[in-house]
């Protein structure tokens, strides 16, 4: 069954997909944006709708050493940016230099374009952040927030693909890529949906997220067997959580709505190798995640330059890196923070939900996001990041998508 043809099919209406779809439509391309989710996320700022009953996320199994974890990813217009904390911090020059000599300039241009659309603002420091900041004077940084008052601002809101003429379809789950003449890894000429509908395209741009994009590539024959190390060398910011004493615990002020979960962070270099980020979460997580069982109020300690690399297995399970050097660095950092804040030091292992690099530029993709050796196929989301920056990747994904969109336009790929 044929669903017609477009110049460009963008798979995934998350942050990168919204950027890519709008910019290409502005340049004159006929763009179809496909989103697997069919339920709209709540626009309430501060709400993280990733709990057990959420209808706007997909769930992926992960392992961290012997522990099993659940990785929720946004499955709605706006993608994970519609359900995450809206943490907007740009990558540092040192991070970008590792990507290649052209990337500092490319990133700066892309970030400027992204900032014009998203316009993140700052929030006042709450009591938990103030306590942590006082313990580490001079090391606190404010975090940009993707919100306007009590309303979350997603990439779908900010880039408004439909307003630029993009045709947006929800409930459209892509099962596989379509290959011209049936030759796998030859030229991609469209996509196949779960209901067998086929949609032709001159170019397909994958923006289904670090996990979703890797899964779609693998399901379509692009992986180690085709010479593309998809799903290997995956990066994440490992994190541990420290419980705060009851007298520090606070909840949201009903009159003001939900606060930003993370308005400030403290950045420390705890050794020659290890750089950490202390995250003074404003409230206990069950106050902002519907359906979550009550948990202690905690702060996070995340390792921002881990050496460990994970992978996505053939069965789809994400193996997060369980590197002994990373674990030792985190344990030392947690002990330092516990001592400085007079906490008991008991830690809960966690993850920052910053998975990236499942189809990296320089290994799976060229500098314009094209899959190496494959025609008509590009990747433009967190999967493409050459290396994970020492900050949350949300703002970086938007900046990189702006850059890659400009390259598609310059090439007039449709």
């Amino acid at each position: 069954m044929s669903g017609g043809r477009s110049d460009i099919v963008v798979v995934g209406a998350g942050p990168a997909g919204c950027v890519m779809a709008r910019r290409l439509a502005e340049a004159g391309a006929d763009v179809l944006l496909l989103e697997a989710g069919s339920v709209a996320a709540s626009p309430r700022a501060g709400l993280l709708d990733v709990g057990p009953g959420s209808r706007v996320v997909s769930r992926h199994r992960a392992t961290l050493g012997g522990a099993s974890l659940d990785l929720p990813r946004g499955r709605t217009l706006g993608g994970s940016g519609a359900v995450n904390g809206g943490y907007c911090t740009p990558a540092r020059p040192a991070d970008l230099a590792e990507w290649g000599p052209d990337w500092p300039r490319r990133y700066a241009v892309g970030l400027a374009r992204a900032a014009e659309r998203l316009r993140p603002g700052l929030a006042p420091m709450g009591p938990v952040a103030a306590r942590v900041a006082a313990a580490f004077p001079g090391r606190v940084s404010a975090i940009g927030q993707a919100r306007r008052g009590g309303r979350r601002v997603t990439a779908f809101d900010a880039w408004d693909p439909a307003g630029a003429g993009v045709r947006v379809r929800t409930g459209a789950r892509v099962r596989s890529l379509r290959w011209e003449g049936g030759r796998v890894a030859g030229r991609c000429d469209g996509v196949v949906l779960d209901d067998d509908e086929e949609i032709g395209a001159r170019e397909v741009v994958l923006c289904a997220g670090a996990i979703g994009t890797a899964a779609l590539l693998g399901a379509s024959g692009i992986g180690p067997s085709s010479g593309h190390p998809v799903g290997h060398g995956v990066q994440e910011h490992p994190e541990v959580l420290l419980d705060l004493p009851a007298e520090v615990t606070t909840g949201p002020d009903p009159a003001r709505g939900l606060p930003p979960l993370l308005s400030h962070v403290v950045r420390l270099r705890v050794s020659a190798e290890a750089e950490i980020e202390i995250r003074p979460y404003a409230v206990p997580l069950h106050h902002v995640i519907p359906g979550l069982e009550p948990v202690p109020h905690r702060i996070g300690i995340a390792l921002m330059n881990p050496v460990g690399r994970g992978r996505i297995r053939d069965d789809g399970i994400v193996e997060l890196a369980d590197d002994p050097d990373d674990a030792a660095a985190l344990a030392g950092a947690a002990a330092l923070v516990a001592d400085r804040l007079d906490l008991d030091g008991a830690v809960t292992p966690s993850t920052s939900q910053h998975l990236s690099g499942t189809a990296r530029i320089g290994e799976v993709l060229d500098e314009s996001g094209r899959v190496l050796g494959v025609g008509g196929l590009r990747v433009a989301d967190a999967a493409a990041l050459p290396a994970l920056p020492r900050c949350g990747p949300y703002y970086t994904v938007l900046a990189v998508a702006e850059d890659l969109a400009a390259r598609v336009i310059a090439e007039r790929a449709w």
Side-chain angles (χ1 to χ4, degrees):
M1 181 172 63
S2 175
R5 186 174 181 84
S6 303
D7 291 337
I8 309 281
V9 168
V10 178
V11 181
C18 291
V19 171
M20 185 65 67
R22 180 177 184 95
R23 296 310 189 189
L24 297 184
E26 286 177 336
D30 173 35
V31 181
L32 176 63
L33 177 60
L34 301 177
E35 169 55 44
S38 57
V39 177
S42 169
R44 187 182 181 192
L47 184 72
L48 279 63
D49 193 0
V50 298
S54 175
R55 301 172 62 204
V56 294
V57 298
S58 58
R59 300 189 179 281
H60 305 272
R61 293 174 57 200
T63 62
L64 178 60
S68 294
L69 301 174
D70 176 56
L71 300 182
R73 290 295 185 268
R75 190 177 179 181
T76 183
L77 295 175
S80 291
V83 298
N84 67 9
Y87 168 135
C88 295
T89 297
R92 303 181 207 176
D95 295 330
L96 301 170
E98 295 176 4
W99 293 14
D102 291 339
W103 269 106
R105 176 191 57 79
R106 291 173 59 179
Y107 186 92
V109 174
L111 186 68
R113 299 199 77 192
E116 288 175 358
R117 279 275 164 185
L118 196 63
R119 293 185 290 122
L122 302 180
M125 184 181 292
V128 179
R131 174 175 175 172
V132 173
F136 296 94
R139 307 303 302 172
V140 67
S141 299
I143 300 298
Q145 307 292 319
R147 59 191 283 164
R148 300 282 183 275
R151 184 180 179 87
R152 176 193 292 270
V153 179
T154 71
F156 192 79
D157 301 322
W159 274 263
D160 184 20
V166 175
R167 290 174 291 125
V168 181
R169 280 183 59 180
T170 58
R173 184 177 174 86
V174 176
R175 184 176 72 218
S176 65
L177 304 171
R178 193 177 76 174
W179 300 109
E180 187 176 76
R183 188 167 69 88
V184 174
R187 176 170 184 82
C188 179
D189 68 353
V191 298
V192 182
L193 305 188
D194 266 357
D195 62 0
D196 295 328
E197 178 183 356
E198 297 186 13
I199 301 173
R202 295 183 183 181
E203 289 272 327
V204 173
V205 184
L206 299 184
C207 300
I211 300 175
T213 287
L216 189 50
L217 288 170
S220 305
I222 302 295
S225 63
S226 65
H228 301 89
V230 174
H232 289 253
V234 174
Q235 289 185 281
E236 172 64 284
H237 290 140
E239 182 173 357
V240 295
L241 303 170
L242 287 175
D243 291 3
L244 293 174
E247 62 267 21
V248 179
T249 295
T250 184
D253 180 349
R256 297 187 178 184
L258 296 175
L261 185 63
L262 194 63
S263 65
H264 294 75
V265 298
V266 167
R267 297 192 176 104
L268 296 176
R269 181 171 289 279
V270 295
S271 71
E273 296 81 21
E275 185 171 335
I276 67 163
E277 186 174 88
I278 307 172
R279 299 173 178 166
Y281 296 122
V283 295
L285 289 177
H286 62 274
H287 286 291
V288 295
I289 300 178
L292 186 69
E293 292 294 325
V295 294
H297 194 163
R298 292 164 169 157
I299 63 171
I301 298 97
L303 182 63
M304 306 310 291
N305 57 342
V307 298
R309 300 291 184 269
R311 68 179 183 121
I312 299 179
R313 297 180 351 195
D314 292 341
D315 60 6
I317 293 176
V318 180
E319 283 188 359
L320 299 174
D322 187 27
D323 185 88
D325 291 333
D326 290 345
L330 266 181
L336 169 66
V337 174
D339 180 67
R340 193 74 64 90
L341 295 175
D342 195 25
L343 306 178
D344 67 13
V347 300
T348 301
S350 185
T351 170
S352 299
Q353 304 279 350
H354 292 167
L355 202 74
S356 72
T358 54
R360 284 186 297 279
I361 290 172
E363 294 186 1
V364 176
L365 314 173
D366 72 6
E367 289 293 312
S368 293
R370 293 177 294 227
V371 177
L372 293 169
V374 177
L377 182 61
R378 300 174 189 250
V379 174
D381 58 15
L385 299 186
L388 183 60
R390 285 171 286 180
C391 61
Y394 183 42
Y395 217 13
T396 291
V397 168
L398 294 167
V400 170
E402 284 280 11
D403 172 82
L404 295 180
R407 289 181 165 243
V408 178
I409 292 166
E411 296 167 14
R412 304 300 292 186
W414 61 93

